[in-house]
Amino acid sequence: MRVNVDRSEGNWGILPNLHDSNNSNLGLGELLDDLTSRMLQELISRLNIAAESFGAQGCEVNLLEWTRDIFTPATACGFYGPNNPLTMEKTLETDFWTFDHGLQSLLIGLFPKVTAQGPYYARERLVAAFKAYLVNKSDAQASAVVQKRLEILSKHAFSPDSTARAELSFLFAGIINTTIASFWLVLRIFASPGLLASIRAEITAAHSLDPSKSSDGDITLSVSSLKSHCPLLASCFRESMRLASDAPSTRLVTQPTTLADKATGATYDLTAGSIVQIAGAAMHADARLWGADVDKFEPRRFLPSKDKSSAAGTASTNPAAYRAYGGGSTLCPGRHLAGSEVLAWTAAVVMALDTVRVDGEELKVPEKEDGTLPVHLCEPKADVKVKFVRRGSGKVRVEL
Ligand code: HEM
């Protein structure tokens, strides 16, 4: 794992190979389209089942738990096929999130079997299930992206145990941030009735739906129309991640480097061998970059400036100030997949469901929980309870 990590001896080695495989296979193209279709099919079929069960009477859910309960098995199926470890053993879904929430104590690494028992044994149960999945050759129905990863691990003589651990980390990357991003975006939209109406109107127009019928018959949404014709939805997505993100990127300085601040003329000398942390959350909260309304959720902040109200955010923030997907050579390779999933999921929820107030209470957006180590996006500080009812009686379909 530690050999030739920085490619100083050429393009070989397990980490360079995996990095290249992720970047090319999750980049725009046939394999990504195939994977995205699988994911959307899994997500939206679960949404239709949920909508039917909510019915007109409605049902109160904990929004983050509900989102997790759908994204966790859907992503596992999309990546690893119908016989994936989590589908075979439902309790592993709980183990998955116990492992995630215990990451900080596991990383401290002080006798984790004793000091981090819950997450430690949850992780080991997941690894054992992944091992059984590989030994039973259940990966024959996995996505092509996963099969390419498995080929590389096998070429590098990874044992089933090590392969299981590598794949658990990939599933981790694929589930956690996409789930949390979807939670925040759905919440932000439903918490503001005016915004909800504008987003519904935008989706309706983008798909030439008949506004009077769009909640009754079946509707088909398309990811490409959502991306090209729903700028307000896309802006809300970026804005909700700006506020939820807490992504510190860590970099090793490989040669003496001087950084210069053009505005002040100050320079910073970085010595080779030192470590730099790029504090994404601090950059996202900097009024010098985003304007005086930096702490506010501004749905129109990322609209092209011609479409903004004059009050909406700063006109020309440097794109490098946005760190939700990191940056540089480790920029998140899953961003295309994640973008399609979060936009399609949110649009489908917005069209399929409505919320009703519980006890006359407005839907409130809690602060982000930034006191624990997140895997890039923070969860909320408080639970959010939402009562969903079904709109109309139609089903939602999503195509690319
Ligand atoms: C909204 C959802 C997502 C967010 C916010 C997110 C965010 C990030 C961030 C901040 C990084 C670190 C970049 C850096 O070091 O500078 C990262 C890396 C990574 N992400 Fe994502 N991610 C998301 C979804 C996904 C998905 C769906 C996948 C899997 C298909 C994925 C796979 C990865 C991988 C493999 C890396 C490591 C890249 C490397 O080290 O070269 N991510 N992600």
Side-chain angles (χ1 to χ4, degrees):
M1 293 290 284
R2 287 171 192 245
V3 176
N4 195 31
V5 171
D6 61 359
R7 299 179 199 250
S8 54
E9 295 168 34
N11 261 344
W12 57 269
I14 179 68
L15 286 185
N17 285 174
L18 271 184
H19 179 270
D20 293 346
S21 161
N22 286 339
N23 276 280
S24 71
N25 298 329
L26 290 168
L28 300 179
E30 230 173 82
L31 294 195
L32 176 68
D33 285 351
D34 173 57
L35 180 61
T36 310
S37 298
R38 289 171 68 122
M39 289 296 183
L40 296 181
Q41 161 65 27
E42 296 292 343
L43 287 171
I44 305 303
S45 59
R46 286 171 170 81
L47 173 63
N48 283 322
I49 295 171
E52 205 169 334
S53 76
F54 295 151
Q57 293 299 311
C59 177
E60 190 184 299
V61 296
N62 173 319
L63 185 59
L64 181 58
E65 281 176 10
W66 180 70
T67 315
R68 272 186 207 144
D69 288 348
I70 291 190
F71 271 77
T72 311
T75 315
C77 282
F79 275 142
Y80 292 95
N83 299 327
N84 72 82
L86 271 60
T87 300
M88 302 311 281
E89 222 176 305
K90 290 297 276 179
T91 52
L92 291 175
E93 286 179 28
T94 312
D95 281 337
F96 184 85
W97 290 95
T98 305
F99 169 38
D100 170 45
H101 293 143
L103 206 57
Q104 187 162 320
S105 47
L106 283 172
L107 284 175
I108 291 170
L110 271 182
F111 310 110
K113 264 189 200 180
V114 181
T115 57
Q117 277 186 8
Y120 178 88
Y121 286 108
R123 180 183 62 190
E124 294 312 306
R125 284 190 289 275
L126 285 156
V127 170
F130 258 105
K131 253 160 74 177
Y133 166 86
L134 294 166
V135 170
N136 295 336
K137 309 233 175 300
S138 301
D139 53 303
Q141 285 168 287
S143 61
V145 169
V146 163
Q147 297 203 6
K148 301 258 179 211
R149 288 177 52 83
L150 293 175
E151 277 167 29
I152 293 173
L153 295 169
S154 155
K155 195 181 96 191
H156 286 272
F158 261 46
S159 66
D161 186 78
S162 300
T163 306
R165 287 174 197 279
E167 288 316 292
L168 177 57
S169 78
F170 189 65
L171 184 63
F172 206 73
I175 292 180
I176 291 173
N177 290 306
T178 314
T179 305
I180 300 173
S182 301
F183 157 81
W184 283 112
L185 183 55
V186 166
L187 174 60
R188 293 282 185 190
I189 294 173
F190 277 94
S192 165
L195 180 61
L196 175 62
S198 304
I199 297 253
R200 275 195 185 133
E202 188 180 67
I203 297 170
T204 302
H207 295 84
S208 307
L209 303 171
D210 178 343
S212 62
K213 290 194 187 144
S214 58
S215 61
D216 283 337
D218 292 357
I219 59 168
T220 302
L221 304 176
S222 104
V223 173
S224 61
S225 299
L226 292 172
K227 286 188 173 170
S228 58
H229 286 85
C230 296
L232 181 58
L233 177 65
S235 173
C236 288
F237 177 33
R238 298 200 75 197
E239 176 70 341
S240 61
M241 289 218 291
R242 180 183 71 82
L243 290 169
S245 163
D246 200 352
S249 301
T250 304
R251 300 287 184 265
L252 178 69
V253 180
T254 53
Q255 47 185 298
T257 305
T258 301
L259 299 180
D261 182 338
K262 274 194 202 155
T264 63
T267 57
Y268 303 87
D269 292 326
L270 309 179
T271 27
S274 55
I275 287 176
V276 174
Q277 287 201 315
I278 306 166
M283 287 163 73
H284 286 183
D286 191 334
R288 290 169 304 174
L289 297 169
W290 302 97
D293 62 354
V294 66
D295 295 331
K296 203 177 141 223
F297 175 75
E298 173 45 71
R300 291 171 176 76
R301 189 182 302 279
F302 291 96
L303 287 181
S305 35
K306 65 180 176 39
D307 300 329
K308 279 187 195 177
S309 71
S310 55
T314 43
S316 55
T317 303
N318 187 330
Y322 190 75
R323 300 285 309 178
Y325 287 123
S329 67
T330 57
L331 174 68
C332 174
R335 65 196 181 282
H336 303 295
L337 173 66
S340 301
E341 286 184 88
V342 178
L343 290 177
W345 167 259
T346 305
V349 169
V350 160
M351 298 311 275
L353 302 176
D354 241 326
T355 52
V356 287
R357 292 183 193 176
V358 180
D359 304 329
E361 291 247 339
E362 296 279 353
L363 196 51
K364 291 202 190 72
V365 180
E367 285 177 30
K368 67 179 179 183
E369 174 52 90
D370 56 3
T372 57
L373 183 77
V375 187
H376 307 315
L377 293 183
C378 298
E379 295 193 351
K381 251 190 184 141
D383 284 348
V384 177
K385 299 271 172 61
V386 176
K387 184 167 180 185
F388 277 129
V389 292
R390 187 180 192 185
R391 292 178 85 217
S393 54
K395 281 197 166 42
V396 183
R397 284 195 206 92
V398 179
E399 57 191 31
L400 293 188

